[in-house]
Amino acid sequence: MAESKRYTLEEVTSIVNAIMVDEFEVEPADLRPEAKLNEDLGLDSLDGVDMVVAIEKAFHCRIAEEEARKIRSLQDVYERVLHRLGQSVSNEL
Amino acid sequence: MSSDLPQPTALLPHRPPILCIDRILALSADEAVCELEVRDGDHLVDGALWEGSLIEGLAQTAAALNGRFQTEAAGGAPAAESLRGLLVGLRGLTVTRRPRAGERVQFRVTLIKRLGPMILVAGEARCDDEVLAGGRLKFFVGPGA
């Protein structure tokens, strides 16, 4: 059975940030882990479903609705992705 | 075609002359296929169907998909407000040709993601093997829409 790819936090950060820039026209300078998707990066509730789909496609994983609802900041996105990939953030730091 | 399939008006709030689909051909949890025969003299037909009606047909097919979901969730006839929806986004939409009077258009939408009141689908309108329009459509559905 093929092993799923393991990502470092740095790789996840890079891929998620690229999605934010390419799909949602976020300024790269605004991409801080603590940045709130809504208040700081300008994503609205209509963008949320697009963001989740883009992340699922990039990492070949599924993010459940209850998980998606908890996402507030970029850091939350990174952590959710690593969690879905079966990796913990603490292990990657 | 299954005789178990509902009439469009059982799942959609739209009514003539705004109703853009004649019948539902297939309906599952993640896909809906509907059909429209373009008739000269009908609303928004001037020898051919208006481009916007192709998008509306896709949107109403997505509404059928939502109607099925809401029916399942309610365990029976859903509340009328749960069938409401707003088309809030289009992405990568292309329209290559307007279907002419006498042609039958088949609208197919496939669920990409449902997240709370948001639904993202891929849609395609065809006449036989010819793709007339396609793209991604995003909806806000339910109370408040």
Side-chain angles (χ1 to χ4, degrees), chain A residues 58-70:
Chain A
F59 294 99
H60 306 287
C61 67
R62 302 288 291 176
I63 297 176
E65 182 170 347
E66 53 271 25
E67 288 182 292
R69 285 180 182 280
K70 294 174 186 167

Side-chain angles (χ1 to χ4, degrees), chain B residues 69-117:
Chain B
F69 174 82
Q70 299 296 347
T71 302
E72 292 271 318
E81 61 184 13
S82 70
L83 299 178
R84 292 183 193 147
L86 286 175
L87 175 60
V88 294
L90 294 168
R91 181 172 281 200
L93 185 84
T94 56
V95 177
T96 54
R97 181 172 75 79
R98 297 166 62 196
R100 294 177 288 272
E103 289 187 306
R104 288 178 188 271
V105 185
Q106 206 171 88
F107 300 102
R108 179 184 300 270
V109 302
T110 306
L111 181 68
I112 296 173
K113 188 78 177 176
R114 179 184 293 276
L115 194 65

Side-chain angles (χ1 to χ4, degrees), chain B residues 119-142:
Chain B
I119 300 175
L120 189 64
V121 302
E124 193 174 78
R126 288 177 167 266
C127 270
D128 298 321
D129 292 334
E130 181 185 2
V131 176
L132 305 180
R136 272 189 179 194
L137 301 89
K138 184 164 51 175
F139 301 89
F140 176 82
V141 299

Side-chain angles (χ1 to χ4, degrees), chain A residues 23-34:
Chain A
E23 300 283 327
F24 303 104
E25 301 178 352
V26 173
E27 289 294 328
D30 294 335
L31 293 168
R32 305 175 317 278
E34 69 275 17

Side-chain angles (χ1 to χ4, degrees), chain B residues 2-23:
Chain B
S2 169
S3 59
D4 296 336
L5 290 167
Q7 292 296 312
T9 50
L11 298 179
L12 277 68
H14 310 75
R15 294 294 180 268
I18 301 301
L19 187 64
C20 284
I21 56 177
D22 295 331
R23 62 191 66 83

Side-chain angles (χ1 to χ4, degrees), chain A residues 6-91:
Chain A
R6 287 189 68 80
Y7 291 86
T8 65
L9 176 59
E10 189 177 39
E11 287 172 324
V12 169
T13 300
S14 174
I15 293 168
V16 169
N17 288 0
I19 289 170
M20 293 297 164
V21 173
D22 296 342
E23 300 283 327
F24 303 104
E25 301 178 352
V26 173
E27 289 294 328
D30 294 335
L31 293 168
R32 305 175 317 278
E34 69 275 17
K36 297 279 187 285
L37 302 182
N38 197 306
E39 296 95 320
D40 300 326
L41 303 184
L43 274 68
D44 60 28
S45 58
L46 303 182
D47 294 321
V49 66
D50 288 314
M51 185 194 73
V52 169
V53 167
I55 288 169
E56 288 180 339
K57 185 177 175 187
F59 294 99
H60 306 287
C61 67
R62 302 288 291 176
I63 297 176
E65 182 170 347
E66 53 271 25
E67 288 182 292
R69 285 180 182 280
K70 294 174 186 167
I71 293 174
R72 295 284 181 273
S73 67
L74 268 183
Q75 183 68 30
D76 294 339
V77 179
Y78 307 148
E79 289 179 5
R80 280 297 102 194
V81 169
L82 286 170
H83 177 74
R84 290 313 305 167
L85 296 173
Q87 302 174 224
S88 70
V89 175
S90 57
N91 288 344

